[in-house]
Amino acid sequence: MFVLGIESTAHTFGIGICNEKGDILANEYNTYVPKSGGIIPAEAAKHHIKVKRILLKKALKKAKLSLADLDLIVFSQGPGLSPCLVVGRDFALELAKKNKKSVIGVNHCVAHIEIGLLFNALKNPIIGFFSGANSQIVCFAPKYKKINSTEMLKRKEKYIVIGETLDSGLGNSLDKLGRQLNLPFPAGPKIEELAKTGKYIELPYTVKGMNFAFAGLVTSAINKYKQGSKIEDVCFSFQETAFAEVVEVCERALSFSKSKELLFVGGVAANQRLQQMFKIMCLERGAKFYTVSKKFAGDNGAMIAWAGLKKFKKERKTKNLDIRPTWRIDQK
Ligand code: ATP
């Protein structure tokens, strides 16, 4: 069985192809970079329209397949920016109709996790999912049901969110800071680079129970920069503070779930410093750390194809193919 996945939730348009064994046969993507400021959804959608056929052609060539060889077309149904989601959904429907293929929609956040689980066979992980728009600590619902409230027992979803950001995602927070430091989008990699030679300046640290927040930290870091702090020090201090917040909460999640496995996925998983902090924490408590390679950390079509294949085996079809811009990982 060959599955084609289409990713288009935000800045990146991606086409991935996988087979039933989980071999990734192609994973082509192209990212819209705003000229200045943040993503303009309509502009990102225009970008996706421009690149979609080129990427499809490239992916099929790489996989040595034709459209006729495919068995299933999958698209990212949400969450994401509506104009971008529509491009991916419409392209999926067009391809499915022309070639008489089945089509299903998947949750983009579930796909970030499923690709992590494809490369790491885990039994009961705590999953740290940190991307641009999302930052959540997730675990398998059936495992959680054993240890927590009756409210959770009613849920049928595979994943339960046990901690999350109270404002923006970690990646978007890095990008917001980056804009004020005049760094190109996405700012995460550049901040990581600059942080390597920085020194610590004190910044606010916000953890509330199992949740964390970054907005005050972003504002404070920008103010420090405007008041004359070195860019390297601001980047280092921001990373150390924000990352300590999420490591603290992940450690608590490992502790109360009695899990010995931490899986780190999403675009921010490319960050070596946060990987290192997670590794130290896991080592200290006898847990194992797992992650994904950079090409599967950020948005990509391969993760959509794989998540779609898994969903297809259970559900066969998606009844409602409308886009779902605010679809949470813990909602049906
Ligand atoms: P979502 O997947 O939640 O819809 P998204 O599409 O923005 O959000 P991804 O493509 O998974 O997310 O990740 C992009 C984010 O990852 C950006 O915010 C970017 O700054 C961040 N990022 C990428 N590389 C690094 C890095 N090396 N260090 C820190 N952050 C990084």
Side-chain angles (χ1 to χ4, degrees), residues 130-151:
F130 297 100
S131 60
N134 294 282
S135 287
Q136 295 175 324
I137 295 163
V138 176
C139 74
F140 291 164
K143 303 279 180 190
Y144 193 72
K145 282 172 189 173
K146 282 191 194 152
I147 55 167
N148 215 284
S149 73
T150 47
E151 165 62 21

Side-chain angles (χ1 to χ4, degrees), residues 196-243:
K196 284 181 183 157
T197 53
K199 290 196 182 66
Y200 193 73
I201 39 178
E202 203 161 324
L203 291 174
Y205 179 94
T206 312
V207 169
K208 297 188 179 208
M210 288 300 288
N211 300 319
F212 33 82
F214 306 117
L217 173 60
V218 173
T219 308
S220 195
I222 293 167
N223 287 341
K224 293 279 184 197
Y225 180 62
K226 287 184 178 161
Q227 288 155 10
S229 291
K230 275 174 65 188
I231 191 166
E232 290 84 356
D233 295 348
V234 172
C235 292
F236 175 73
S237 309
F238 184 90
Q239 280 204 164
E240 293 304 297
T241 311
F243 294 175

Side-chain angles (χ1 to χ4, degrees), residues 1-149:
M1 186 170 181
F2 295 113
V3 182
L4 182 122
I6 302 174
E7 162 56 31
S8 75
T9 53
H11 41 70
T12 299
F13 192 90
I15 301 269
I17 301 175
C18 73
N19 64 17
E20 232 167 329
K21 287 189 281 178
D23 300 320
I24 304 302
L25 307 176
N27 191 26
E28 298 295 320
Y29 47 82
N30 191 285
T31 299
Y32 151 81
V33 180
K35 287 193 187 83
S36 65
I39 299 175
I40 300 165
E43 293 297 318
K46 275 190 209 159
H47 161 270
H48 296 352
I49 291 168
K50 210 164 118 188
V51 300
K52 64 184 183 181
R53 289 185 205 284
I54 303 168
L55 292 172
L56 172 68
K57 217 170 146 184
K58 270 190 179 174
L60 288 169
K61 193 172 170 198
K62 189 94 180 253
K64 299 191 178 69
L65 294 171
S66 71
L67 279 168
D69 297 321
L70 301 172
D71 299 286
L72 175 67
I73 313 268
V74 189
F75 69 98
S76 226
Q77 202 167 0
L81 305 170
S82 301
C84 302
L85 288 169
V86 167
V87 177
R89 192 273 315 268
D90 289 355
F91 196 38
L93 294 186
E94 178 199 318
L95 295 176
K97 196 171 170 198
K98 264 192 202 158
N99 301 281
K100 298 192 177 55
K101 307 290 174 189
S102 302
V103 59
I104 60 168
V106 295
N107 183 299
H108 168 87
C109 305
V110 168
H112 270 294
I113 295 176
E114 292 295 349
I115 197 80
L117 294 171
L118 169 65
F119 296 116
N120 304 286
L122 305 178
K123 285 201 187 85
N124 176 26
I126 288 298
I127 300 149
F129 165 42
F130 297 100
S131 60
N134 294 282
S135 287
Q136 295 175 324
I137 295 163
V138 176
C139 74
F140 291 164
K143 303 279 180 190
Y144 193 72
K145 282 172 189 173
K146 282 191 194 152
I147 55 167
N148 215 284
S149 73

Side-chain angles (χ1 to χ4, degrees), residues 11 108 112 131-134 171-172 174-175 186 188-189 192 267-268 270-271 298-299:
H11 41 70
H108 168 87
H112 270 294
S131 60
N134 294 282
N172 283 2
L174 285 158
D175 297 336
E192 179 177 16
V268 184
N271 190 289
D299 291 353

